Amino acid sequence: LKNTQKEKVIRMILGMMVNLLETPDMNNILSVCGCQRLLESMKQRNWSDEDITNDIETILGKVSHNVEVTSTFDEYRKEIMSGELEWTPMHRSANFWEKNVHKFLDKDSQVLKALVDLIKPGSVSDSKVLAVALHDVGEFVRAHPGGKTHITKLNAKPYIMQHLTSSDTAINKEALTCVQKLMVA
């Protein structure tokens, strides 16, 4: 969709997406992949084909609803405590982080401590879990006014730095992004 200019092609792609949204998996995939931002941008354009505008509204409505429903802090807490992190919508939703960042410090920072435990070298064997955890530490630092201080108190910086040399590109990328957020905060 990003690289296509022809309205006929865009109408076909959006039509397929509307039909595929009936499956929960597709709804989750579109919620996680950043489709919402692209659709918001496309919504601003003037389309000569009314179907495009309607399909954008339909997809945007369903994806936005899915992000809201699946992005509760209780769900996030369960995911962190289980240690089985996935790239669910809440990890990528700026709205989720803005609304819930202060809850990380509830109950003696239980969730934040569990998140830091996940990034300790050798504690997790699944590279996807580690990449998501590093991403979330970075988002916490970005969204919380005292995020850098809390992460420093939990002695997480050395763990993040060790992951910079990871052979896994996803872990390496998330560790680098996390370090950048720590430096900017």
Side-chain angles (χ1 to χ4, degrees):
L1 275 175
K2 267 189 209 177
N3 302 325
T4 306
Q5 296 300 315
K6 300 275 185 195
E7 285 197 17
K8 288 180 186 178
V9 175
I10 291 171
R11 186 180 67 229
M12 293 289 292
I13 293 170
L14 291 172
M16 287 189 295
M17 288 172 73
V18 167
N19 290 333
L20 289 171
L21 274 175
E22 301 307 317
T23 64
D25 289 341
M26 186 61 170
N27 206 337
N28 287 333
I29 289 169
L30 290 176
S31 299
V32 172
C33 76
C35 179
Q36 196 171 6
R37 267 183 269 157
L38 175 61
L39 290 169
E40 290 286 352
S41 151
M42 289 176 69
K43 185 178 170 183
Q44 304 306 314
R45 286 179 50 188
N46 289 329
W47 300 100
S48 61
D49 189 332
E50 222 177 90
D51 287 343
I52 291 176
T53 308
N54 294 338
D55 286 349
I56 289 172
E57 289 291 333
T58 301
I59 297 167
L60 198 51
K62 288 185 179 186
V63 168
S64 298
H65 176 72
N66 187 50
V67 168
E68 287 297 318
V69 168
T70 60
S71 297
T72 67
F73 193 74
D74 288 336
E75 288 296 316
Y76 182 81
R77 180 185 296 117
K78 286 178 195 169
E79 189 177 348
I80 293 294
M81 295 310 185
S82 75
E84 302 196 13
L85 280 58
E86 296 280 336
W87 284 113
T88 54
M90 64 192 127
H91 298 283
R92 301 262 190 212
S93 168
N95 187 32
F96 169 81
W97 288 98
E98 299 304 322
K99 284 174 34 180
N100 297 297
V101 73
H102 292 289
K103 295 178 184 176
F104 279 76
L105 303 178
D106 292 350
K107 298 181 183 174
D108 193 34
S109 303
Q110 178 188 26
V111 174
L112 186 58
K113 288 176 182 175
L115 186 58
V116 169
D117 284 344
L118 289 172
I119 65 168
K120 287 181 181 174
S123 66
V124 177
S125 60
D126 186 349
S127 62
K128 179 174 52 173
V129 170
L130 185 53
V132 174
L134 285 163
H135 173 270
D136 287 1
V137 169
E139 284 299 290
F140 173 79
V141 169
R142 181 195 59 77
H144 194 284
K148 181 178 181 176
T149 305
H150 291 291
I151 292 300
T152 304
K153 282 181 185 175
L154 293 174
N155 201 31
K157 277 186 186 179
Y159 308 144
I160 298 165
M161 300 301 266
Q162 285 182 20
H163 293 302
L164 288 173
T165 59
S166 173
S167 59
D168 186 302
T169 56
I171 292 172
N172 195 290
K173 175 186 172 253
E174 294 301 337
L176 182 59
T177 305
C178 188
V179 167
Q180 288 172 335
K181 290 175 183 175
L182 274 166
M183 292 176 76
V184 172

